[in-house]
């Protein structure tokens, strides 16, 4: 089950049913099934608070993924800052909707085992994001 909620901001205008089907198809393409996925859309102040409290990081980010996977079933909580998504869309010259969907699937790809912190991993993640976006 995939849930979508917001905390302190308006819910983004996404087509939840379509996004859910898309997420499941991306997970299946990686040999995974979807368990419990919870999206929480927040502002920059809230994501900074979450980043400090749970990760000890003192900076803004677009998404924080809490991974509760068990075997081939992906589960987790994904916290997305819509402020940072908007800023990044402007910075990278992308449409807000495209950047939002990129971030939505970025967390799913993390749950599927794709990392982006080590050498060469960022390029792999970006390629997987692009592949997933093409499935929309």
């Amino acid at each position: 089950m995939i849930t979508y909620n917001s905390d302190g901001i308006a819910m983004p205008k996404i087509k939840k049913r379509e996004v859910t089907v898309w997420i499941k198809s991306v997970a299946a393409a990686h040999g995974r099934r979807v368990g419990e996925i919870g999206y929480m859309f927040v502002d920059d102040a809230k994501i900074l608070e979450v980043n400090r409290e749970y990760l000890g990081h003192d900076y803004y980010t677009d998404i924080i993924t809490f991974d509760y996977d068990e075997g081939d079933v992906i589960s987790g909580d994904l916290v997305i800052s819509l402020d940072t998504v908007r800023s990044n869309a402007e910075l990278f010259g992308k449409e807000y909707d495209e950047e939002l969907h990129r971030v939505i699937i970025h967390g799913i790809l993390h749950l599927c085992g794709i990392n982006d912190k080590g050498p060469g991993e960022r390029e792999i993640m970006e390629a997987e994001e692009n592949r997933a976006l093409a499935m929309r």
Side-chain angles (χ1 to χ4, degrees):
M1 173 188 223
I2 301 175
T3 58
Y4 305 89
N5 296 288
S6 64
D7 182 4
I9 59 167
M11 188 72 171
K13 293 178 181 4
I14 57 173
K15 297 178 179 171
K16 294 176 192 167
R17 284 192 187 117
E18 287 178 20
V19 170
T20 295
V21 168
W22 175 51
I23 288 169
K24 289 179 178 180
S25 66
V26 169
H30 289 274
R32 306 294 179 97
R33 294 178 297 127
V34 171
E36 298 290 325
I37 304 282
Y39 280 94
M40 180 61 69
F41 298 99
V42 301
D43 60 14
D44 271 353
K46 184 65 176 181
I47 204 138
L48 182 59
E49 178 185 317
V50 171
N51 220 356
R52 285 175 175 159
E53 182 175 342
Y54 294 98
L55 302 177
H57 299 158
D58 192 25
Y59 54 81
Y60 300 102
T61 187
D62 50 4
I63 185 168
I64 298 173
T65 303
F66 296 97
D67 184 340
Y68 313 130
D69 290 359
E70 291 186 19
D72 69 344
V73 177
I74 62 170
S75 296
D77 289 320
L78 297 94
V79 184
I80 295 176
S81 170
L82 296 181
D83 292 338
T84 300
V85 168
R86 187 169 308 285
S87 298
N88 285 346
E90 292 171 11
L91 181 68
F92 301 128
K94 302 286 185 185
E95 292 294 322
Y96 171 76
D97 186 62
E98 179 185 348
E99 186 65 17
L100 177 58
H101 284 84
R102 179 178 296 278
V103 173
I104 286 170
I105 211 63
H106 181 93
I108 296 300
L109 292 170
H110 273 308
L111 296 177
C112 288
I114 299 167
N115 297 311
D116 60 357
K117 300 288 188 230
E121 290 179 340
R122 164 64 73 206
E123 293 79 8
I124 293 167
M125 175 62 85
E126 191 172 314
E128 291 297 330
E129 289 171 352
N130 290 337
R131 193 170 298 122
L133 287 167
M135 294 172 67
R136 262 183 74 216

